Amino acid sequence: MATPIINHLSDIFSTSQIIQDHETLQEQGLALNGSIHPPVAIVFPESEQELVALVKAANQHQFEIHPVAQGRNWGYGTSQGTKANQVIVNLSRLNQTLEINEAHAFVRVQAGITQSELYQALQAANSNLQLDVTAAGLHTSVVGNILERGFGHTDYSDRFGNVLSMRVLLPNGDIINTGMGMFDESIAAHLYPYGIGPVVNGLFSQSNLGIVLEMAIAVQPKPEHQMTVMVLCKNDEDAPAMVSTIAKLKLDGVVTSGVHTVSMARALGDQAIKAPAAWVLTTSLAGPKGIVKARFKHFKKVISRSIPNSRVVMLNDFRWKILKKINTYLKNPMISSLQLIVDLKKGVPSDDAVKTLLDYRDAHSEMKTSEFPAYFRWICAISSPTPDSIAKMIATCKTVFEKYGYEERYSMTNITGRAVVLIANIRYGKTPEEIEKAAAFYQEVDDALLGAGYCPYRSGSNLFEPITPYINQANRQFLANLKQAMDPNNILSPDKYWLSQPQSATSSTEASHDSVDTEMV
């Protein structure tokens, strides 16, 4: 029997664009942390006009909508809304590459495009442009990850920092263009991200203030020469000095890519026991050949001096070709695993990291949440790059990991020369007891890190609440004022990243929330 909300959706979308069967709603409401917020429906818009009509209907009839690009925000909520009984707006059918601009090195894409789709579009165009990709997989979102401020592996690894312009649907139904696109006629519409006046791009990152329809993204011209560089650190205690040394090399301009220093348990999963080191660092040096060779020479000298027990390994195209040929006879799984690293440094998306992360050889980036062999959630924190600060951050995590008995899997990323992002994760069973234990662990590790000043860079559905008390009240009030001004009916993902304000007592979704089971499954 159709509900009023379904009737309103049917006025906008065809039957094939509305999903409301129980199994799919449960799947789309399930996050990889084990929590569930079943939506009332899922819609698949195929045009801007349909999205505008949806936003206007949500305002008029007072129901909540929650947009996702692909719905694969694993570990941070997947496609789950901020509450139950919302309408999930899946943008995956808006997946076109609108422009590949070779002269000015940018691409313009719709919100639903995947890493694989954009990569294939560049290949089909025989483009000289190279993507920056994440390790999340072939079928994960480009725009969604950028808006959540994910980061990659190349010189363009600060992904949100490379947004040139956006086309955004506001909660009142208006559409705006950011940057120089704010002018009706602008030669630099997708070239200069700041426009004139207040810079508004940031309002739509990690927020619920608009639905991004299109994005222009700066991409890297394929370099003349590229090296994939790895550093093997033999001892656990080497990691803080390694990360700090990389920060100095980035400040000096020697290293310009994102640099990941990863524990072997994180890098190799259940194969880590065979590893010849405790940590592995991966980076890329790219540019004119003479400059790349000079930078590598300096890099190797500095690393050898700072971390005497380390081993620096360099793979250029020639070396990698020879190594792969040799491995056809050796069949060494450690050598085979290097393919992922080489691919990521060249902007080639892959599902291989998902397999390692889950210790599940059949894992792939089109899996349903319910198909994952275990539940999963991230822990993240930002540190200064000093060795003492990094060591304290790891020690803070270690205490809680040991208390709860979870395996420690860490990565630390030098996105800039001034800040280091720690990411850890836990995997746990799907029983109520394991879910309850993981929730207690997450709260405790959050409290420990935040109490020590190590604050997260990212969060997700069902994960915001533990962090909220640590945020300055003036900042929270400022965000609430923005939300009130831009979304007075609170229709768009209420409470996402603390941006919310009270709904009227007549709201249909508010009335329904009291009766919906949103407990852990």
Side-chain angles (χ1 to χ4, degrees):
M1 182 176 178
T3 66
I5 291 178
I6 298 300
N7 288 334
H8 301 317
L9 297 177
S10 298
D11 291 337
I12 303 167
F13 302 103
S14 67
T15 303
S16 65
Q17 293 174 274
I18 304 172
I19 305 296
Q20 53 180 319
D21 68 275
H22 177 76
E23 182 180 348
T24 304
L25 297 184
Q26 292 293 114
E27 167 66 30
Q28 292 297 300
L30 178 63
L32 266 181
N33 57 37
S35 63
I36 185 166
H37 298 165
V40 69
I42 307 155
V43 295
F44 291 82
E46 296 176 0
S47 69
E48 285 188 359
Q49 293 74 21
E50 289 175 344
L51 277 166
V52 171
L54 174 64
V55 166
K56 291 182 176 179
N59 278 292
Q60 181 181 352
H61 302 292
Q62 290 289 281
F63 60 87
E64 295 173 4
I65 60 177
H66 179 74
V68 298
Q70 282 288 327
R72 297 187 173 93
N73 192 17
W74 293 324
Y76 291 112
T78 319
S79 61
Q80 184 184 85
T82 57
K83 301 177 186 177
N85 274 13
Q86 294 174 332
V87 176
I88 301 297
V89 185
N90 189 303
L91 304 175
S92 60
R93 296 185 188 179
L94 296 169
N95 63 342
Q96 297 301 304
T97 300
L98 302 172
E99 181 178 0
I100 298 173
N101 193 306
E102 299 284 340
H104 301 303
F106 72 83
V107 295
R108 189 163 57 88
V109 297
Q110 289 184 310
I113 198 164
T114 66
Q115 294 198 129
S116 177
E117 287 167 341
L118 181 51
Y119 176 77
Q120 293 300 331
L122 290 174
Q123 293 294 103
N126 196 27
S127 173
N128 192 47
L129 301 176
Q130 171 181 288
L131 292 181
D132 182 86
V133 298
T134 73
L138 296 167
H139 304 286
T140 52
S141 168
V142 174
V143 172
N145 178 269
I146 289 174
L147 291 176
E148 287 296 314
R149 298 202 287 276
F151 43 82
H153 297 261
T154 70
D155 286 2
Y156 285 49
S157 62
D158 180 3
R159 308 183 90 216
F160 187 73
N162 285 295
V163 173
L164 296 171
S165 68
M166 293 189 285
R167 184 169 173 82
V168 184
L169 171 61
L170 301 180
N172 67 357
D174 290 342
I175 293 178
I176 66 166
N177 296 295
T178 71
M180 279 293 163
M182 66 192 296
F183 292 97
D184 290 336
E185 297 292 336
S186 173
I187 291 173
H190 306 302
L191 303 180
Y192 186 70
Y194 308 116
I196 188 170
V199 181
V200 301
N201 276 358
L203 290 178
F204 308 106
S205 170
Q206 292 190 359
S207 84
N208 55 6
L209 299 177
I211 301 174
V212 174
L213 305 171
E214 297 177 12
M215 182 179 287
I217 309 161
V219 288
Q220 182 177 3
K222 289 180 181 176
E224 172 192 320
H225 190 69
Q226 188 265 347
M227 294 179 179
T228 296
V229 181
M230 292 168 289
V231 182
L232 300 174
C233 300
K234 185 176 182 180
N235 303 313
D236 274 332
E237 58 270 22
D238 289 338
M242 174 64 71
V243 174
S244 184
T245 300
I246 291 296
K248 180 64 166 60
L249 286 167
K250 285 184 75 70
L251 288 175
D252 289 343
V254 176
V255 175
T256 53
S257 74
V259 184
H260 301 265
T261 302
V262 184
S263 67
M264 282 300 180
R266 172 72 185 278
L268 298 176
D270 55 11
Q271 298 296 309
I273 193 171
K274 303 175 184 178
W279 294 81
V280 59
L281 176 149
T282 63
T283 187
S284 173
L285 301 176
K289 188 172 184 178
I291 294 174
V292 171
K293 291 178 71 174
R295 287 162 62 197
F296 175 69
K297 182 178 180 181
H298 183 77
F299 175 95
K300 188 173 182 179
K301 180 177 71 175
V302 171
I303 294 296
S304 299
R305 184 173 63 236
S306 301
I307 320 292
N309 291 323
S310 65
R311 181 185 174 194
V312 179
V313 178
M314 183 273 285
L315 290 175
N316 56 24
D317 289 344
F318 177 76
R319 289 189 178 190
W320 178 231
K321 184 177 180 180
I322 296 298
L323 189 58
K324 283 201 298 183
K325 188 172 183 179
I326 292 172
N327 202 43
T328 58
Y329 303 100
L330 296 178
K331 301 189 184 302
N332 187 322
M334 298 287 289
I335 295 176
S336 299
S337 68
L338 294 178
Q339 182 69 61
L340 170 64
I341 296 172
V342 172
D343 284 347
L344 291 174
K345 303 307 177 188
K346 292 188 172 186
V348 181
S350 169
D351 275 353
D352 285 352
V354 181
K355 304 176 191 295
T356 300
L357 194 63
L358 298 171
D359 293 331
Y360 183 45
R361 292 295 95 191
D362 293 328
H364 55 85
S365 58
E366 287 188 299
M367 287 173 64
K368 295 179 180 179
T369 306
S370 57
E371 293 173 341
F372 279 72
Y375 285 144
F376 176 92
R377 67 197 302 172
W378 295 108
I379 303 101
C380 63
I382 302 280
S383 172
S384 80
T386 65
D388 288 348
S389 181
I390 294 167
K392 183 180 177 183
M393 178 171 62
I394 294 174
T396 301
C397 290
K398 189 178 187 68
T399 299
V400 187
F401 269 90
E402 289 180 346
K403 176 180 174 179
Y404 285 84
Y406 291 120
E407 181 186 28
E408 297 172 76
R409 294 188 174 192
Y410 300 116
S411 72
M412 290 183 286
T413 302
N414 298 81
I415 299 177
T416 72
R418 297 174 179 84
V420 175
V421 178
L422 171 79
I423 297 180
N425 66 275
I426 59 171
R427 295 171 67 252
Y428 50 98
K430 296 186 174 184
T431 66
E433 294 78 14
E434 286 289 339
I435 294 170
E436 183 178 356
K437 175 185 172 183
F441 163 82
Y442 194 84
Q443 179 70 67
E444 190 163 337
V445 77
D446 257 354
D447 285 338
L449 287 166
L450 282 155
Y454 299 106
C455 306
Y457 87 102
R458 183 174 177 180
S459 190
S461 179
N462 207 55
L463 304 175
F464 301 122
E465 187 175 348
I467 306 165
T468 305
Y470 293 90
I471 299 172
N472 181 284
Q473 181 58 40
N475 287 69
R476 289 167 60 187
Q477 186 60 54
F478 169 69
L479 295 176
N481 292 343
L482 276 177
K483 182 66 171 173
Q484 176 69 53
M486 296 181 67
D487 186 9
N489 293 317
N490 213 22
I491 62 154
L492 190 57
S493 306
D495 299 327
K496 182 179 179 182
Y497 285 100
W498 315 283
L499 278 76
S500 190
Q501 31 81 24
Q503 285 183 282
S504 69
T506 58
S507 168
S508 60
T509 49
E510 181 178 313
S512 66
H513 289 156
D514 293 336
S515 62
V516 176
D517 179 10
T518 59
E519 66 182 20
M520 300 293 190
V521 295

